[in-house]
Amino acid sequence: MCGIIGYKGEENAKEKIAEGLKKLEYRGYDSAGAAILANPSIKVEKAEGSVENLSHNFNGKAGIGHTRWATHGGVNKANAHPHTDTEGKIAVAHNGIIENHSELREKLGEEKFESETDTEVIPHLLKKKLSEKKLEKALKETLSELKGSYAVTGLIESGEMIAFRKDSPLVIGVKENSFFVASDVMPFLEDTNKAIFLKDEDYAVIRDGELKIFNSGKQVNRQIEEIDWDAGQACKNGFEHFMKKEIHEQPETVKRAVFQDRSDIEEASKMIKDAKKVYLTGCGTASYAAMLGAKYLRSQGIEAYAEQSHEFEYMASHIDKDDLVIAVSQSGETADLLSALKKTDCPVLSVTNVVGSTLARNSDKTLYINAGPEIGVASTKAFTAQLTVLKLLSYAVAGEISKGRSSLLETAEKLEEVIKTNERELEKISDYLLEKDQCFFIGRNKGRELASEAALKLKELSYIHAEAFPGGEFKHGTLSLIEEGVPVFVFMLDDETNSLSNAVEAYSRGAELIGCGLTRQDVFKYFIQVPEDDNREILEIVPFQILAYETSLKKGNNPDKPRNLAKSVTVK
Ligand code: F6R
């Protein structure tokens, strides 16, 4: 959801910005832009679409860049960041939303605005303050007037680079006398693994070789942390797309998710057992992991519920301080989730991937899924790793951590085989789907969340309309959409008999059935085969990730960058 990058240091900034933007493009690809402090003035370049459309002609030792996922203002060059003040002496790149931008625009009436964005008020406002005050004071006052969420990096013609944040992620990479400012660690990992995660309402000023961080007018010390992801993990490693690489990493990432520190799992399991009720929440793919997590915990006698975070907000007032919220999120930056958590005052246990993320820093306890960077916009390896950690937790609640570990490791061992066994069938199914403009997914109990996740993957990547239903619900209305040749995917995971009956109800009305499970039935046109396993839901989703990927490719889409979407949804 918009990526920002800044560099000020000893090397040419244009290369750092160009490389950094490529690593951030998964956060938005509506437009891109860069600004370089090319002494004596700031030079700005913008382009619609991909970061590849920028030519990076200017040289300098400081620069900023932006890749946009549009919120305010259409997708065009004028709305691309960086935005500047009227004289072009300040340039900023922003991720987030300035809620009071209309009010501020009015107040700044005499200034010349060139875009429809909320962001453009920032350089104008800062410029106004700077005409009367020193930079640090001007920044403090600017922040106090901005309402909403923001992560901003900027350049001042006098030579400084600035950074500030509230409710949007921002991290500073430190390499001796050079500094990076970025939405996440990815763009600077090749240069340094030392990072400072700015706290809410921190603002930073970088002058030659020196970084100073402030909060509420006072200089503060923020710890430098070492990130144990290596830059290689953020490369495609010979795969055509990140998504394909991430799908094929799963035999490894499921194992890494299993290897939680025993004391961490025990502590988390104690939090669950001590809670009156447990609520799990997340968005999109992570919400389906949360729903499955609630089912795992219920099977161990825990009173557990799940709700998607944007709806969770509305039930938050019923949550007691003796309850527990389990927050599931790959990025740990999803605004809907973070906002929902602010409405509760009970402990939070988070299950996340990104070390140092806002979620991790604001939780009472964090279990990392250890999946390594997930760059494909569609979540794949994070989902199976989230399920692994949640399942392990349910084993821990039953006092069976070792049993859980061996069982999940056995599952990881079977993933490779599931991918290989189904390769040819998936090829055929993806060809078949090219002729279709809608399809349905059904399943019962755990199969219900698999149906939802499989439908989400297919629609977000192939743009084929795909809907998921609990198998039993189909006949209560949606069955009327079934006509000759409509594909219905059925997960034969839990309650096989009734799952099959629900599928046959559609088949009798002309649907073509694609089954997934242990045994092929005559009514299935195609069949995805998985072996018997205690954690079969982790195995069953993987072929559907491949199906979505293959169908997307055959339709000429870019599976790493589905239209209208971006990774890390940092706006509500
Ligand atoms: C779908 C997908 C999204 C994310 C959702 C939550 O493939 O990736 O639905 O799962 O936006 O993101 P995180 O897990 O970062 O909170």
Side-chain angles (χ1 to χ4, degrees):
M1 184 110 323
C2 294
I4 63 176
I5 164 87
Y7 172 80
K8 181 167 168 59
E10 287 162 358
E11 294 172 61
N12 196 338
K14 78 172 179 188
E15 273 123 38
K16 302 291 175 199
I17 302 301
E19 282 309 306
L21 281 177
K22 282 189 208 149
K23 306 249 167 61
L24 283 170
E25 205 178 11
Y26 73 111
R27 299 178 74 97
Y29 27 85
D30 287 334
S31 62
I36 296 285
L37 186 52
N39 272 335
S41 61
I42 295 175
K43 304 280 188 215
V44 178
E45 188 201 358
K46 303 178 181 196
E48 251 187 68
S50 165
V51 300
E52 306 277 333
N53 300 335
L54 295 173
S55 53
H56 299 287
N57 280 332
F58 306 110
N59 296 300
K61 295 286 168 74
I64 60 174
H66 188 270
T67 173
R68 179 168 187 246
W69 185 83
T71 54
H72 287 69
V75 177
N76 56 42
K77 202 167 158 183
N79 289 335
H81 299 214
H83 292 287
T84 64
D85 66 305
T86 311
E87 292 156 356
K89 290 181 184 303
I90 299 173
V92 304
H94 164 222
N95 170 27
I97 290 178
I98 305 300
E99 284 164 7
N100 58 336
H101 70 105
S102 311
E103 209 178 288
L104 289 170
R105 261 185 195 236
E106 228 167 88
K107 212 169 128 184
L108 293 159
E110 71 277 17
E111 304 295 332
K112 195 167 148 256
F113 284 85
E114 295 196 335
S115 76
E116 304 155 321
T117 66
D118 53 334
T119 303
E120 204 182 345
V121 296
I122 302 174
H124 288 294
L125 186 61
L126 181 58
K127 177 66 207 316
K128 204 157 180 233
K129 307 275 178 201
L130 254 183
S131 62
E132 300 150 9
K133 296 171 181 87
K134 283 178 64 178
L135 181 55
E136 284 77 353
K137 190 112 197 279
L139 273 172
K140 179 175 177 259
E141 288 191 9
T142 302
L143 262 66
S144 70
E145 290 196 36
L146 298 177
K147 294 206 175 95
S149 68
Y150 44 81
V152 174
T153 184
L155 289 177
I156 318 281
E157 200 185 67
S158 48
E160 298 89 347
M161 185 162 80
I162 55 169
F164 49 95
R165 67 152 285 193
K166 181 173 162 268
D167 291 338
S168 274
L170 198 59
V171 54
I172 296 185
V174 183
K175 186 189 179 190
E176 292 163 10
N177 297 327
S178 300
F179 299 93
F180 295 81
V181 176
S183 304
D184 59 48
V185 299
M186 231 71 91
F188 57 73
L189 264 186
E190 256 173 54
D191 283 274
T192 178
N193 68 344
K194 294 195 171 48
I196 298 173
F197 293 92
L198 290 184
K199 296 202 169 156
D200 254 357
E201 299 186 42
D202 276 357
Y203 52 100
V205 177
I206 299 162
R207 296 196 168 83
D208 290 326
E210 183 195 45
L211 162 73
K212 283 187 181 164
I213 304 174
F214 304 84
N215 195 302
S216 314
K218 294 204 181 74
Q219 193 172 343
V220 290
N221 275 325
R222 297 282 179 240
Q223 206 189 330
I224 299 186
E225 294 180 34
E226 288 207 1
I227 308 300
D228 71 356
W229 285 359
D230 72 65
Q233 289 177 301
C235 298
K236 288 187 199 152
N237 285 350
F239 285 92
E240 200 182 339
H241 294 98
F242 282 110
M243 184 180 177
K244 187 160 190 188
K245 173 188 164 232
E246 287 157 9
I247 290 171
H248 285 270
E249 277 175 340
Q250 289 176 108
E252 190 49 41
T253 50
V254 167
K255 280 189 205 154
R256 286 214 301 268
V258 175
F259 289 119
Q260 299 289 324
D261 196 290
R262 196 177 185 99
S263 61
D264 281 338
I265 283 287
E266 280 170 352
E267 199 184 316
S269 137
K270 183 168 181 327
M271 287 171 87
I272 293 171
K273 287 197 270 190
D274 287 351
K276 248 179 27 202
K277 291 180 194 153
V278 177
Y279 295 90
L280 291 94
T281 189
C283 297
T285 293
S287 74
Y288 303 131
M291 289 171 195
L292 280 163
K295 288 183 178 171
Y296 297 159
L297 291 178
R298 284 203 292 272
S299 73
Q300 303 297 351
I302 301 289
E303 191 173 346
Y305 305 92
E307 180 62 282
Q308 292 181 318
S309 307
H310 31 86
E311 289 297 307
F312 185 78
E313 281 211 40
Y314 310 113
M315 65 191 260
S317 60
H318 303 289
I319 296 174
D320 203 83
K321 61 177 180 1
D322 299 328
D323 296 333
L324 172 73
V325 173
I326 303 184
V328 186
S329 170
Q330 187 283 129
S331 63
E333 300 295 351
T334 298
D336 287 325
L337 173 65
L338 297 174
S339 160
L341 295 182
K342 282 191 180 155
K343 305 238 160 54
T344 65
D345 61 358
C346 67
V348 174
L349 165 66
S350 57
V351 176
T352 189
N353 193 28
V354 179
V355 179
S357 58
T358 308
L359 176 62
R361 281 181 288 115
N362 292 329
S363 300
D364 296 272
K365 172 93 198 146
T366 299
L367 294 176
Y368 287 105
I369 60 171
N370 303 329
E374 188 181 68
I375 297 185
V377 164
S379 192
T380 52
K381 63 177 178 173
F383 181 65
T384 48
Q386 286 159 352
L387 293 188
T388 303
V389 171
L390 291 166
K391 194 81 180 252
L392 188 62
L393 262 179
S394 73
Y395 277 106
V397 166
E400 296 180 330
I401 298 184
S402 304
K403 183 173 166 202
R405 276 190 175 156
S406 353
S407 158
L408 287 157
L409 287 174
E410 261 180 49
T411 308
E413 291 297 338
K414 292 179 194 161
L415 276 164
E416 202 74 70
E417 173 200 330
V418 169
I419 296 176
K420 280 217 176 75
T421 313
N422 290 295
E423 244 162 30
R424 292 208 40 212
E425 192 76 344
L426 289 167
E427 273 290 326
K428 286 193 225 155
I429 306 173
S430 61
D431 283 339
Y432 158 79
L433 283 179
L434 296 179
E435 308 297 315
K436 306 291 175 184
D437 53 14
Q438 66 162 343
C439 59
F440 295 93
F441 289 76
I442 58 171
R444 295 178 80 100
N445 195 26
K446 296 197 290 302
R448 174 190 179 168
E449 279 75 35
L450 291 190
S452 299
E453 172 58 6
L456 177 64
K457 282 293 91 86
L458 187 68
K459 68 184 145 189
E460 74 178 311
L461 296 174
S462 71
Y463 319 147
I464 295 170
H465 181 234
E467 287 308 325
F469 295 91
E473 183 64 18
F474 217 25
K475 58 187 179 294
H476 293 288
T478 313
L479 206 52
S480 65
L481 290 175
I482 297 299
E483 50 193 6
E484 213 54 49
V486 172
V488 173
F489 291 83
V490 52
F491 284 92
M492 303 282 290
L493 176 62
D494 289 334
D495 192 353
E496 273 197 53
T497 312
N498 280 319
S499 301
L500 186 61
S501 303
N502 297 144
V504 170
E505 285 151 17
Y507 176 76
S508 317
R509 286 152 181 92
E512 291 173 334
L513 299 183
I514 301 108
C516 175
L518 301 176
T519 324
R520 185 175 198 130
Q521 309 287 334
D522 289 345
V523 284
F524 295 151
K525 185 177 174 76
Y526 300 105
F527 184 62
I528 295 164
Q529 177 95 47
V530 284
E532 184 59 279
D533 191 80
D534 285 344
N535 313 298
R536 223 172 84 198
E537 62 280 7
I538 297 176
L539 298 177
E540 287 207 7
I541 200 59
V542 175
F544 290 88
Q545 299 168 343
I546 299 172
L547 180 65
Y549 173 82
E550 293 293 342
T551 314
S552 157
L553 273 188
K554 287 179 184 169
K555 293 199 89 171
N557 306 339
N558 181 343
D560 277 346
K561 295 184 200 162
R563 73 181 176 204
N564 303 339
L565 301 179
K567 198 118 183 126
S568 266
V569 186
T570 54
V571 291
K572 274 183 79 178

